[in-house]
Amino acid sequence: MCLGIPGQVVEIVDGYAGQLALVDVEGARRRVNIGMLDAPPDPGAWVLIHLGFAVEVINAARAGQAMEGLELVGQPRRARRRLTVTGLVQGVGFRPFAYATAASLALAGSVANTTGGVIIEVEGEPAAVDDYGRQLRTGAPPLAMIVDVREEDVPVRGGTGFTIEASRSDGTGRTLASPDVATCADCLRELRDPADRRHRHPFITCTNCGPRFTIITRLPYDRNATTMAGFPMCPSCRSEYDNPDDRRFHAQPIACTDCGPRLELVDAAGTPISKDDPVEAARRLLADGRIVAVKGLGGYHLACDARNTAAVTELRRRKQRGGKPFAVMVADLDVARRLVTLTHDEEQLLAGIRRPIVLLPRLPSPATPAATANQGGPEVAARVADEVAPGNPDLGLLLPYTPLHVLLFGLPGDPPGPDALVMTSGNLAGEPIVTDDAEALTRLGALADAWLRHDRPIRVPADDSVSRVAAGAELPIRRSRGYAPLPIALPFEVPPMLAAGADLKNTCAVGEGRYAWLSQHIGDMDDLATITALTATERHLEELTGVRPEIVVADLHPEYRSSQWARRHAEGRPLQLVQHHHAHIASVMAEHGLGPGEQVIGVAFDGTGYGPDGAVWGGEVLIAGYKSYRRAARLGYVPLAGGDASVRRPYRMALAHLHAAGVAWHPGLPPVRVCPPAERDLLARQFSGAGETGAGHGSGSGGGCVPTSSMGRLFDAVASLAGVRQHVEYEAEAAIGLEGLAYRAAGELAHPYRIEVCPCQDGPDVADAGPMMRRIAADVLVGVPAAKVAARFHGAVILLIAELADRCREQTGLDVVALGGGVFQNALLIGGAERVLRERGFTVLRPRLLPPNDGGIALGQLVIGASV
């Protein structure tokens, strides 16, 4: 009886020093090591295979005996198995991987995309079939995310070869759509190689990179289900697409200069304005200080030279941007190092496959030789125009993430152009990003001097994501391109649901089973265009996920436009309303996988949230689970006069806090100086009518005022009192300035002011900011620098969080603290709070996958809605 498996040699494989042969084993071809044989076998010869090695050349008679021997020892000759794979397995090179793995193991069968994921059938030697399942789980492509692999044995069908079959809709399950992925290193090498047929091709891509989410019209993911459907492949691209050994094997967005898409540079009438290379012409315009609308993956950007003060100032004027910072795209990491300080973690985030805008502390401007030397760059001025981010300590930088961006900066030998470009969303302030070419000419007509566009449609609008690194971990600020629509795994099953999100930084979400899908960033719900965008985004989420919501969840605030939208779209379905800060904490809990019966000490600090008592909440400590919450502590109420007026003019909040603290409005205090006398007199009457709040226990209502416990408004008040900012043009501008100053005097964190905690027997404990405000006012009057005031204030808030957590632990025994709300976008605050809480023995949960601000609140709405 012969030990081994007989096979017939087909050919010697090229390369590999003649050590590999392609061998036919019962109709399935596999590569076999022939290095143990005395000489390479001829094609047609029979060999005996053991553990992947050809151990002996045999004749046909012995081959038959060997096969009979296998049957005698009871070993089956072939096995067939079906593997159903779910997760992020479409648009990430998974089918080519399944094909290549099967070929390496000499397995026959097929692979196909379905609406539920990927279905594979493999047939061949039983040991190889087993090995296939193992390799499928452990060797998947880097962009894939396998959630589950179900295996079942099926009847042997015979046959040879492995095929990629046409996708099919099986009506069951769901798969995950891939986010867009930055251009990979292999494609960049080809882009720069004059000998490559895709040299300078602005749409070069492969299975490892390129557009995904923004071009997908439906699933399963195939070319005809994307906006590339209108670009038939040329013969060369088709050959690569069909070649299992090619990096573009079944790469759906594959393209070249012969099959499109195509670029053009046009004027406001849509007329081409240059016969030259459109990218080179656009680079010249940018170098000349012009503003160019550039069509990207998820919409149009408005671009200009970030070092040209006149160009940046003009873009700010046209866009009605106010003082809000612009993002800057830099040519490479070397340019970034000459503009900002970068840690290793920040470099990894900046240069990763998602390519978000990363908030980074800027270098002194202009840079000193020592500063540039420390960064490893040449001694050049490390500056962009002051108008890029006026008064802001950080710069938001991103690296090129499409081939078009790379070409816009230029390849070696190109005429010089800007190495740092403002790249801001193509829209007026507050509007959704523009994606349609015709609409770009009208909506951006007054904003741009030229339009660099292409003819590949954008199916899904997606702004650039924004992130930062805080205490060694990524802290998302805006989750959009590169991240959406990856789902969040849920700690328990939820019915089919829709969450409408909040009014600021809106994202919506759908959920079913153990997954929630949050949309890309939509924007602030302050105009019809954004509300229309919410409707379109929610519909597309349903199309991609197959979720058909049976329950709708929205914010408790009766005047939120997102909640009103939810009421209009409920269409007879149950509508559940969720308290804003409860949703913040539940979002963090769900992200960290806490179970349905667990509770945490939740610290929810933000600017605005509707409280069930009619007050504006925002400085809350909750004992929270998914089903319910209890308000354990709050910041003391102060009167909020005029609503949005006090948000836009921080000096009003400073005067409110000074009034509540019993501090006279001394003319030497910055908020008193800047407030017009008539407005000051009106505020004095309003605050008096609101009643004395004492230690923050009172209502703070009356006199046209609403009481607020907002931590965000306290940051505004301190920023005003320290002289940092008296008027703001965008959300959190005063708090950002205060954080930047605090870093300059970080040693003062160890000498904090104190916010006193006042126990309350019949309600939540009250954190009284009055004593701190009195100290700050006194420090300001004697000339204590604003940076010291800012750092001591941050220290006070960190200490307050720790003290309130201690009190809650004493009362409940809980030792897990969840931090949520927009105030925790502050890296100094969240890093300091996390450190102090851990020192005191707490487990700290902080946002990692979703923003702490309202951009992550839809997840909390979903899990609360599923629990009540």
Side-chain angles (χ1 to χ4, degrees), residues 307 334-335 338-339 363-364 366-369 372 377-383 419:
R307 301 187 192 273
D334 285 340
V335 178
R338 298 197 295 268
L339 295 173
L363 286 171
T368 64
T372 52
E379 295 181 12
V380 298
R383 63 172 300 159
D419 63 355

Side-chain angles (χ1 to χ4, degrees), residues 31-98:
R31 291 180 175 184
V32 174
N33 191 306
I34 56 175
M36 295 179 65
L37 301 178
D38 293 334
D42 296 327
W46 286 90
V47 293
L48 197 63
I49 304 165
H50 183 66
L51 297 177
F53 288 85
V55 295
E56 185 181 356
V57 177
I58 58 176
N59 57 30
R62 286 194 61 194
Q65 293 174 356
M67 192 60 68
E68 291 174 0
L70 290 176
E71 293 173 346
L72 286 174
V73 298
Q75 179 172 338
R77 293 163 63 180
R78 287 173 78 85
R80 189 175 186 91
R81 189 166 299 162
R82 179 180 298 132
L83 302 98
T84 303
V85 189
T86 57
L88 180 54
V89 290
Q90 295 189 18
V92 294
F94 197 84
R95 286 180 296 177
F97 159 70

Side-chain angles (χ1 to χ4, degrees), residues 608-829:
T608 300
Y610 182 77
D613 60 356
V616 176
W617 288 15
E620 315 304 318
V621 177
L622 311 177
I623 304 301
Y626 296 114
K627 290 180 179 292
S628 62
Y629 71 94
R630 174 176 64 83
R631 198 182 193 191
R634 62 171 172 83
L635 200 60
Y637 284 144
V638 297
L640 177 69
D644 286 346
S646 289
V647 175
R648 291 191 299 269
R649 287 173 261 172
Y651 66 79
R652 293 168 67 98
M653 286 312 306
L655 295 177
H657 271 280
L658 290 172
H659 172 84
V663 179
W665 291 352
H666 190 285
L669 296 172
V672 180
R673 281 200 309 270
V674 77
C675 183
E679 184 179 2
R680 197 164 60 233
D681 291 343
L682 174 61
L683 288 173
R685 291 194 298 272
Q686 288 181 301
F687 295 160
S688 296
E692 293 297 328
T693 59
H697 294 279
S699 68
S701 61
C705 297
V706 177
T708 182
S709 59
S710 167
M711 181 59 77
R713 300 290 78 80
L714 179 59
F715 267 79
D716 289 348
V718 174
S720 169
L721 196 53
V724 177
R725 189 76 61 186
Q726 306 301 337
H727 298 82
V728 299
E729 297 179 285
Y730 59 92
E731 185 195 14
E733 182 179 7
I736 290 169
L738 197 66
E739 178 189 0
L741 278 177
Y743 275 109
R744 298 185 192 175
E748 294 295 319
L749 288 169
H751 307 286
Y753 297 120
R754 188 165 187 83
I755 302 173
E756 293 188 1
V757 178
C758 304
C760 187
Q761 298 299 321
D762 56 354
D765 292 344
V766 174
D768 179 16
M772 178 185 69
M773 298 303 290
R774 291 192 285 271
R775 280 282 312 278
I776 293 175
D779 281 353
V780 170
L781 287 173
V782 299
V784 172
K788 286 189 175 183
V789 172
R792 291 170 182 173
F793 168 66
H794 277 77
V797 178
I798 291 168
L799 183 60
L800 174 67
I801 291 169
E803 289 183 351
L804 291 175
D806 277 337
R807 289 183 60 80
C808 290
R809 179 166 56 185
E810 291 170 5
Q811 297 165 4
T812 65
L814 296 172
D815 62 359
V816 178
V817 179
L819 306 176
V823 168
F824 288 110
Q825 294 175 148
N826 183 318
L828 183 62
L829 179 67

Side-chain angles (χ1 to χ4, degrees), residues 240-429:
E240 293 169 330
Y241 182 90
D242 291 335
N243 182 0
D245 294 324
D246 197 282
R247 199 175 80 253
R248 295 182 173 88
F249 181 45
H250 274 256
Q252 305 307 327
I254 187 174
C256 72
T257 53
D258 292 333
C259 48
R262 291 171 178 82
L263 277 176
E264 61 178 353
L265 184 69
V266 301
D267 61 16
T271 305
I273 59 177
S274 174
K275 295 181 180 179
D276 298 332
D277 173 9
V279 179
E280 184 176 333
R283 191 185 317 118
R284 285 198 303 267
L285 288 176
L286 292 166
D288 290 341
R290 309 293 288 277
I291 298 168
V292 179
V294 180
K295 187 177 181 182
L297 286 180
Y300 275 83
H301 284 107
L302 293 169
C304 73
D305 183 354
R307 301 187 192 273
N308 186 323
T309 298
V312 178
T313 301
E314 178 62 12
L315 176 57
R316 188 170 292 283
R317 183 193 69 78
R318 293 184 190 180
K319 192 172 161 69
Q320 302 171 25
R321 180 77 170 184
K324 192 173 184 180
F326 285 130
V328 176
M329 180 178 285
V330 292
D332 51 41
L333 278 172
D334 285 340
V335 178
R337 294 186 187 108
R338 298 197 295 268
L339 295 173
V340 297
T341 61
L342 276 168
T343 65
H344 174 74
D345 290 336
E346 287 165 340
E347 285 199 9
Q348 293 293 108
L349 179 60
L350 190 63
I353 62 172
R354 295 187 171 94
R355 297 287 165 96
I357 298 167
V358 182
L359 304 182
L360 299 159
R362 63 167 93 196
L363 286 171
S365 178
T368 64
T372 52
N374 288 339
Q375 288 295 304
E379 295 181 12
V380 298
R383 63 172 300 159
V384 293
D386 291 339
E387 281 298 305
V388 167
N392 198 294
D394 295 334
L395 281 179
L397 296 190
L398 73 163
L399 291 176
Y401 55 85
T402 71
L404 178 56
H405 294 147
V406 175
L407 294 172
L408 204 53
F409 284 109
L411 300 185
D414 285 345
D419 63 355
L421 294 172
V422 166
M423 279 284 184
T424 186
S425 299
N427 52 14
L428 281 172

